[in-house]
Amino acid sequence: MIKEIAIGSSLALVIFLTWQGYNVMPVIFLAGLLFVLLRTAGLSNLLGSSRTGTVVEKSSTSRVTFDDIGGQAAAKRELLEALEFITDRDRIRRLGIRPLKGILLTGPPGTGKTLMAKAAAHHTNSVFLSASGSEFIEVYAGVGAQRVRQIFARARESARRQGGASAIVFIDELEVLAGRRGQHSGHLEYDQTINQLLVEMDGLGNDDEVTVLVIGATNRFDLLDPAVLRPGRFDRVVRVDLPNREERLAILKIHTAGKPLDPAVDLDDVAKQTFGFSGSHLESVANEAAILAFREEAWVIRQEHFVEAVDKVIMGEKVARQPRAEELERVAVHELGHAAVAELRRPGSVSMVSIAPRGGALGYVRQTPEVDQYLYSREELEEQLDIVLAGCVAEELFCGSRSTGAMKDLEQAVALAKLVVSGGMSELGIVPQDLVPASTMHEAIRAIITFREEKVRELLGERKTRLMAARAVLLERERLEGDEFRALLGTMKPGRKVRSSRRRNHRTDDRRSRVRRDRAPARSDNQH
Ligand code: ATP
């Protein structure tokens, strides 16, 4: 309000002076300069401005609904239950129930926490204000606390101005604002900021004219100060997890709803291939598939666009880096090693083998898990170990030596073997990890890995001729579809028709592509 009056009066003054015949250009120039300085150098903070505009929060009435969020049924249900505190305010008041002040959404990045908060605002017809935890932290003592006060004041003011009875304050990256007290080097400022948040939350009541609900989001629940989670503050914790297969399908349907899809597109298959993807990865897959169709000047998005988009989201853009001929042969052998053992251990699991460099990898094998898996037995960990070790064992068998290309595989192999030991599944039995001497641990890990290497050597050795033939085809085509590879390995189920991959020579085209790589989700695909 004050801002509007000040701008209006200044304009009127400038018009009046011009009419009186004064030269106002120097004044306008100086005012412009001052404005630019205030915007860029944040001088308003130094000057101790108390204007609400210093908090970088966005205020709006949200248009996102719970229908725009795929999956997350349990999280949605819990959140909807909690929102009854706003929608059924009179009954809550009559029963004398303490108002719900804060809801905490926790889970991996990109799983839809912000979407949930926005949908909550839409559902309760509340004003929505959002800010990130890092926006409250400043080097100047007291500024963060002042910003916390401002956002709550602004929430009430916006709701009142829009004639609403409730406001939702959404704070993303809550761990930055509400991390454990006394742990930061400039901890006075941090502590003041979090204390102010607690004071504001404690002050929220049933009888307030405007009901304010704080929704916090964090990927690092473990870093939060316990005082924040005390009853009466963020006392509802809603877990927003990575989607399972059905949920991935639902999210894909949402993000392809307005896009022209070829009737043969099988979104269920895309959902199956995207284990470990978050909602934002899936949104990116749908978007990348559309971009690929656009580049090809196609009218509809086809299944192969989705397949390519999944690779791109996992591995990044194809790169122009061209390995030498002997390096390429080694990469082919390495990837075929992974693929062969994956196929022999988990028949039908390989969906693609590629030696097209992408992101930081020179080649990779994509495996499709039949079902999402969250627990592993010793046998399953050993299966995974065999697949991981197969790349370097194949290099040794068919190229005569190993290379540095297997370093990541070896790290993964050690981590898997360690899991066998720490899970109490090794010959050591159940042992407290921190009490096991390093040499005993080392010996146990080495024994597991050496034994598995021997098994893999036998498996690959028996299929030497077939693998050599597959290597020639892979070098020629750069990429083999799952069925093509199975036919070459001799594990194809009788009666199945092989879908051949076109010879791909997109390298020159790919040099031109400029689509940014999204974060790669955690998957067990093997990259070299
Ligand atoms: P972060 O922890 O990194 O802040 P977040 O959990 O808040 O991430 P959002 O910002 O809500 O994630 O999601 C990012 C984008 O991902 C959304 O704009 C949406 O396009 C997509 N998305 C994520 N989850 C879902 C979902 N369950 N349904 C539909 N789209 C989703």
Side-chain angles (χ1 to χ4, degrees):
M1 190 65 180
I2 298 168
K3 194 164 74 181
E4 283 82 9
I5 293 173
I7 294 173
S9 327
S10 318
L11 262 176
L13 186 69
V14 167
I15 294 168
F16 176 72
L17 290 175
T18 315
W19 182 56
Q20 289 291 312
Y22 289 100
N23 180 7
V24 290
M25 284 317 283
V27 179
I28 294 177
F29 177 73
L30 275 175
L33 198 65
L34 194 66
F35 176 77
V36 171
L37 275 175
L38 283 171
R39 295 293 301 227
T40 54
L43 279 185
S44 53
N45 287 337
L46 283 174
L47 298 172
S49 161
S50 63
R51 287 160 45 244
T52 48
T54 49
V55 178
V56 195
E57 93 273 20
K58 288 151 233 115
S59 150
S60 65
T61 30
S62 166
R63 262 179 258 131
V64 177
T65 70
F66 281 110
D67 291 338
D68 298 325
I69 305 173
Q72 305 294 1
K76 278 194 222 172
R77 196 175 47 245
E78 270 189 72
L79 191 56
L80 278 166
E81 265 172 32
L83 293 176
E84 283 175 13
F85 279 77
I86 294 188
T87 49
D88 224 348
R89 208 173 147 191
D90 290 338
R91 216 152 59 91
I92 299 289
R93 210 181 278 161
R94 234 187 1 257
L95 289 170
I97 297 174
R98 172 168 57 74
L100 183 74
K101 299 172 183 180
I103 300 174
L104 183 64
L105 305 175
T106 75
T111 42
K113 297 183 287 299
T114 311
L115 281 187
M116 289 267 186
K118 287 187 176 166
H122 184 271
H123 179 76
T124 54
N125 201 17
S126 302
V127 165
F128 180 75
L129 278 97
S130 77
S132 168
S134 50
E135 288 163 14
F136 291 90
I137 302 305
E138 266 293 345
V139 281
Y140 311 110
V143 176
Q146 185 196 23
R147 289 181 176 177
V148 172
R149 273 195 300 277
Q150 284 168 7
I151 197 167
F152 278 84
R154 172 101 188 258
R156 292 190 185 93
E157 186 191 311
S158 306
R160 240 178 262 128
R161 211 182 314 139
Q162 294 180 25
S166 53
I168 286 182
V169 173
F170 174 63
I171 306 176
D172 205 358
E173 299 177 8
L174 187 70
E175 73 281 1
V176 181
L177 163 65
R180 283 170 196 277
R181 280 175 285 188
Q183 296 209 331
H184 298 276
S185 48
H187 62 83
L188 189 66
E189 162 60 1
Y190 274 93
D191 294 358
Q192 277 186 9
T193 310
I194 176 175
N195 287 341
Q196 188 59 43
L197 176 70
L198 303 181
V199 168
E200 291 290 343
M201 291 187 76
D202 290 346
L204 301 175
N206 252 343
D207 298 323
D208 296 351
E209 188 193 341
V210 174
T211 306
V212 179
L213 176 71
V214 188
I215 299 187
T218 183
N219 311 320
R220 295 298 310 271
F221 184 76
D222 53 316
L223 295 184
L224 291 179
D225 193 294
V228 171
L229 304 170
R230 209 201 68 185
R233 289 165 183 169
F234 286 101
D235 46 10
R236 283 289 162 103
V237 179
V238 176
R239 178 102 201 133
V240 188
D241 265 322
L242 286 175
N244 61 26
R245 183 168 159 185
E246 285 87 54
E247 291 175 322
R248 291 197 293 275
L249 178 61
I251 297 173
L252 282 167
K253 281 185 180 159
I254 288 174
H255 290 293
T256 50
K259 298 182 170 73
L261 299 189
D262 185 89
V265 165
D266 183 356
L267 287 181
D268 190 34
D269 187 54
V270 182
K272 188 172 154 194
Q273 308 226 8
T274 45
F275 174 74
F277 277 45
S278 68
S280 67
H281 286 121
L282 295 166
E283 187 276 334
S284 183
V285 166
N287 195 46
E288 292 295 345
I291 291 173
L292 290 167
F294 170 77
R295 281 203 201 136
E296 273 184 19
E297 296 184 10
W299 286 101
V300 288
I301 309 171
R302 294 190 302 275
Q303 187 73 8
E304 66 224 50
H305 296 137
F306 279 100
V307 172
E308 178 99 22
V310 171
D311 285 348
K312 196 157 154 188
V313 173
I314 300 174
M315 308 289 303
E317 183 68 271
K318 276 189 190 172
V319 289
R321 189 174 53 238
Q322 183 62 64
R324 287 175 292 126
E326 56 273 33
E327 281 174 330
L328 211 55
E329 281 195 16
R330 191 180 274 278
V331 176
V333 163
H334 183 105
E335 299 309 334
L336 286 168
H338 283 311
V341 175
E343 198 49 46
L344 295 168
R345 291 282 183 242
R346 299 172 184 163
S349 65
V350 172
S351 64
M352 205 249 302
V353 190
S354 167
I355 52 166
R358 259 185 197 278
L362 294 173
Y364 58 101
V365 175
R366 183 132 64 80
Q367 297 166 63
T368 311
E370 277 303 303
V371 284
D372 293 353
Q373 194 170 353
Y374 306 99
L375 287 176
Y376 297 88
S377 64
R378 172 163 182 162
E379 291 68 36
E380 285 163 336
L381 287 174
E382 284 176 346
E383 260 176 23
Q384 189 57 35
L385 246 174
D386 289 356
I387 298 169
V388 165
L389 291 169
C392 60
V393 173
E395 280 187 52
E396 189 187 282
L397 278 178
F398 306 124
C399 306
S401 64
R402 297 183 175 190
S403 74
T404 53
M407 271 159 67
K408 279 230 174 79
D409 291 344
L410 301 187
E411 274 170 29
Q412 228 185 319
V414 171
L416 284 164
K418 229 177 179 169
L419 218 54
V420 174
V421 179
S422 54
M425 294 176 270
S426 75
E427 279 57 46
L428 292 180
I430 301 171
V431 280
Q433 265 195 83
D434 40 352
L435 298 183
V436 178
S439 55
T440 313
M441 189 67 157
H442 169 81
E443 201 39 56
I445 291 175
R446 210 186 59 84
I448 296 171
I449 293 182
T450 319
F451 186 69
R452 295 321 310 173
E453 268 181 314
E454 204 38 59
K455 293 270 169 212
V456 171
R457 208 167 279 122
E458 275 169 31
L459 269 183
L460 293 178
E462 285 162 12
R463 283 156 185 90
K464 194 166 179 172
T465 323
R466 282 190 174 271
L467 283 169
M468 286 297 99
R471 178 178 71 169
V473 183
L474 181 59
L475 282 169
E476 214 249 323
R477 297 202 191 145
E478 206 177 61
R479 165 188 171 127
L480 294 174
E481 299 293 337
D483 282 350
E484 269 180 303
F485 170 68
R486 276 181 278 280
L488 288 164
L489 191 69
T491 56
M492 185 80 167
K493 280 194 190 136
R496 250 186 105 132
K497 231 175 105 195
V498 179
R499 186 156 59 96
S500 169
S501 61
R502 286 174 291 143
R503 181 179 156 71
R504 296 191 172 234
N505 227 342
H506 287 231
R507 281 190 177 146
T508 32
D509 288 342
D510 290 331
R511 263 174 230 160
R512 279 188 244 124
S513 72
R514 274 169 285 136
V515 180
R516 200 175 62 82
R517 180 190 176 186
D518 206 335
R519 287 168 295 180
R523 286 172 60 97
S524 61
D525 300 323
N526 296 94
Q527 311 159 19
H528 182 208

